[in-house]
Amino acid sequence: MKGKIIVITGEQGSGKTTLLLNLVSGLKKLGLKPGGFIADGFWELNKRSHFDLVDVKTSERILFCHRAMQLNWEKAGHFYINPAAVTFGEKILNPAIAAQSDFIAIDEIGPFELADKGWKKSITNLLKVMPEKPMIWVVRYSLLQIICESFGVQPEIIIHSGIQTDGWIEKVASLIQNNK
């Protein structure tokens, strides 16, 4: 599979989501319509306590995962995943919804997807149904190669968080606009 994939990468806590938010904001200012979601993290006692999943188009949000055990929520790493949030994300990644956007942001793709859970089916479907739809993925650097192999993609642009990012908005916008 080949898609127009832009990857924001870096290690845990390196500012990947912040970089994605800045990129999405800049692309919106250029008149591009976003789709997808971000995982907005919250801290308690110097640890990530939970994440909300936020629709980048509507700003609607839902509790995505929490460090505290939740009844009937599947554990993934240190967190328990809200099944309603998975459904929320799958709806956002539905091709009928995604078709209304110029690009799709997905924060973040990781171990859950490698275990054929989370957004794996939705992303695979988007790549199949809309192979030219530009997507911006957030992926930890340590998982970048295996994630790309798992989805059969070669990113067109890789942006490393924490490294000078001037000019990336224009470069990404150019790739997206070439799709229109």
Side-chain angles (χ1 to χ4, degrees), residues 59-83:
S59 298
E60 184 180 351
R61 63 176 52 230
I62 186 172
L63 176 61
F64 174 49
C65 63
H66 204 288
R67 195 174 280 274
M69 189 178 91
Q70 306 291 319
L71 193 60
N72 299 320
W73 288 19
E74 185 173 356
K75 188 167 190 201
H78 299 293
F79 295 93
Y80 292 86
I81 308 296
N82 179 357

Side-chain angles (χ1 to χ4, degrees), residues 32-66:
L32 295 170
K33 297 179 292 193
F37 50 78
I38 60 131
D40 189 9
F42 296 86
W43 295 83
E44 288 178 14
L45 303 173
N46 296 322
K47 278 190 194 177
R48 291 276 188 183
S49 61
H50 65 283
F51 288 84
D52 282 355
L53 203 63
V54 183
D55 184 325
V56 297
K57 184 177 179 180
T58 66
S59 298
E60 184 180 351
R61 63 176 52 230
I62 186 172
L63 176 61
F64 174 49
C65 63
H66 204 288

Side-chain angles (χ1 to χ4, degrees), residues 82-120:
N82 179 357
V86 174
T87 301
F88 177 80
E90 288 171 342
K91 181 180 174 186
I92 293 168
L93 296 179
N94 180 297
I97 302 296
Q100 300 169 18
S101 302
D102 294 321
F103 65 95
I104 306 300
I106 304 173
D107 178 21
E108 129 174 20
I109 303 171
F112 218 45
E113 287 71 30
L114 290 173
D116 290 329
K117 297 178 182 179
W119 323 120
K120 176 74 179 224

